[in-house]
Amino acid sequence: MSVTDELLANNAGYAARFSGPLPLPPAKHVAVLACMDARLNVYGALGLQEGEAHVIRNAGGVVTEDEIRSLAISQRLLGTREIILIHHTDCGMLTFTDDDFKKSIQEEVGVKPAWAAEAFGDVDEDVRQSISRIRNSPFIPEKDSVRGFVFDVATGKLNEVIPR
Amino acid sequence: MSVTDELLANNAGYAARFSGPLPLPPAKHVAVLACMDARLNVYGALGLQEGEAHVIRNAGGVVTEDEIRSLAISQRLLGTREIILIHHTDCGMLTFTDDDFKKSIQEEVGVKPAWAAEAFGDVDEDVRQSISRIRNSPFIPEKDSVRGFVFDVATGKLNEVIPR
């Protein structure tokens, strides 16, 4: 039995307890952008319920073109107004460099990615970088509440990063 | 009190019950790529626990360059081997076209996004498109288990999309 099949079996239990449908726009008008890390349960860590917030996630919780796309759709079409950014301690993105990662891919498959891997050396600084990228995008209309946090994987606590 | 502050207050309760840290690599060796929709609680719908799976999310649950980046890091550096794609019924991406969305931005702020908005007209077909994009990427080594599903926001059930 694959892990996918095991998780599908879990879904049957979830559906049995499920009550829907809820409205499409997020009830709390907030979008969360977080790292994909397995230890970061965004719904749990923020006490979110179904229907309340958009959740965008990627390796590092960084802001690239695709996160600007998602945030633009979130705010412009579905009415979110606040943005919460979440990086975390012990992040995999701290363990490699873009150059080494891309070189290893090139050596193995013969093609070097044309994209940045977005590795970083300092979590707080990368949260500030994510805030800066959002503030500098013309496509994100609501920038009054863009706040960044580091989730501590040892304690479960969110610590705010103060922009410089 | 902002919604962000309200969710931060929730975090104090989560941290009080939290037990960590867990290991960095996902225990179930699986990466989930899902839509950012507020009604889709990935941890809940799949019965996931903290530490088990990477969770990648964006508007639509589509596969662009940034999702290839995240999946490449997930598989190559952190050992995931299965990919679960999740779109859902009543998706916001069905409600507009790329052309209209980008034109409205251009008219409002004077700049037309250089990126695709990735709107789609058929959920099942877009799940198949996401599978195809992953299968066609040289940067994703593990493609034996790439399966796609549509989450029903009325019932909470995941329905598998069979590739053509």
Side-chain angles (χ1 to χ4, degrees):
Chain A
M1 189 176 182
S2 69
V3 171
T4 300
D5 286 319
E6 177 194 326
L7 298 179
L8 275 183
N10 291 346
N11 177 250
Y14 179 77
R17 298 183 305 274
F18 189 83
S19 163
L22 292 163
L24 171 54
K28 292 202 179 287
H29 310 291
V30 63
V32 182
L33 167 51
C35 184
M36 70 180 180
D37 190 274
R39 299 161 296 179
L40 175 49
N41 171 356
V42 172
Y43 268 64
L46 294 173
L48 285 169
Q49 302 298 313
E50 279 81 346
E52 293 187 336
H54 281 148
V55 182
I56 302 160
R57 303 184 64 172
N58 64 58
V62 300
V63 176
T64 74
E65 193 171 83
D66 196 54
E67 287 67 44
I68 295 294
R69 178 186 71 86
S70 292
L71 289 169
I73 290 169
S74 176
Q75 292 198 348
R76 302 183 69 93
L77 299 181
L78 293 161
T80 64
R81 296 187 292 264
E82 296 179 39
I83 296 174
I84 297 175
L85 303 171
I86 308 179
H87 284 37
H88 62 92
T89 59
D90 191 36
C91 187
M93 304 300 282
L94 296 161
T95 65
F96 66 96
T97 66
D98 275 38
D99 285 348
D100 288 346
F101 181 65
K102 291 166 72 167
K103 190 178 172 196
S104 75
I105 293 178
Q106 183 175 3
E107 286 173 354
E108 191 179 313
V109 303
V111 186
K112 183 179 168 186
W115 32 265
E118 292 284 334
F120 47 78
D122 182 299
V123 175
D124 285 34
E125 204 47 57
D126 202 72
V127 170
R128 290 190 190 98
Q129 178 59 220
S130 295
I131 294 173
S132 295
R133 287 182 180 181
I134 289 171
R135 293 212 173 280
N136 276 276
S137 172
F139 307 126
I140 310 294
E142 301 279 351
K143 296 173 181 175
D144 286 346
S145 185
V146 181
R147 291 167 62 184
F149 302 86
V150 175
F151 176 80
D152 187 324
V153 299
T155 66
K157 196 165 175 296
L158 288 165
N159 296 299
E160 186 154 12
V161 176
I162 306 303
R164 290 227 177 76
Chain B
M1 190 176 181
S2 69
V3 171
T4 300
D5 286 318
E6 177 194 327
L7 298 179
L8 274 183
N10 291 346
N11 177 249
Y14 179 77
R17 298 183 304 273
F18 190 83
S19 163
L22 293 163
L24 170 55
K28 291 201 179 291
H29 309 291
V30 64
V32 182
L33 168 51
C35 184
M36 69 179 180
D37 191 274
R39 299 161 296 179
L40 175 49
N41 171 357
V42 172
Y43 268 64
L46 294 173
L48 285 170
Q49 302 299 313
E50 279 83 345
E52 293 186 337
H54 281 149
V55 182
I56 302 159
R57 303 183 66 172
N58 64 57
V62 301
V63 176
T64 73
E65 194 171 81
D66 196 55
E67 288 67 45
I68 295 296
R69 178 186 71 85
S70 292
L71 289 168
I73 291 169
S74 176
Q75 290 198 349
R76 302 182 69 93
L77 300 182
L78 293 162
T80 65
R81 295 187 292 265
E82 297 180 38
I83 296 174
I84 297 176
L85 303 171
I86 307 180
H87 284 36
H88 63 93
T89 59
D90 191 35
C91 186
M93 304 300 282
L94 296 161
T95 65
F96 66 98
T97 66
D98 275 38
D99 285 348
D100 288 346
F101 182 64
K102 291 166 71 166
K103 190 177 172 197
S104 74
I105 293 179
Q106 184 175 1
E107 287 173 353
E108 191 180 313
V109 303
V111 186
K112 184 178 168 187
W115 32 266
E118 292 284 333
F120 46 79
D122 183 298
V123 175
D124 284 33
E125 204 46 58
D126 202 73
V127 170
R128 291 191 190 97
Q129 177 59 221
S130 295
I131 293 172
S132 295
R133 287 182 180 180
I134 289 170
R135 292 212 175 282
N136 277 277
S137 172
F139 307 126
I140 310 294
E142 301 281 351
K143 297 173 179 173
D144 286 346
S145 184
V146 182
R147 291 167 63 184
F149 302 87
V150 176
F151 176 81
D152 187 325
V153 298
T155 66
K157 196 164 175 297
L158 288 165
N159 296 300
E160 186 154 12
V161 176
I162 306 304
R164 288 228 175 78

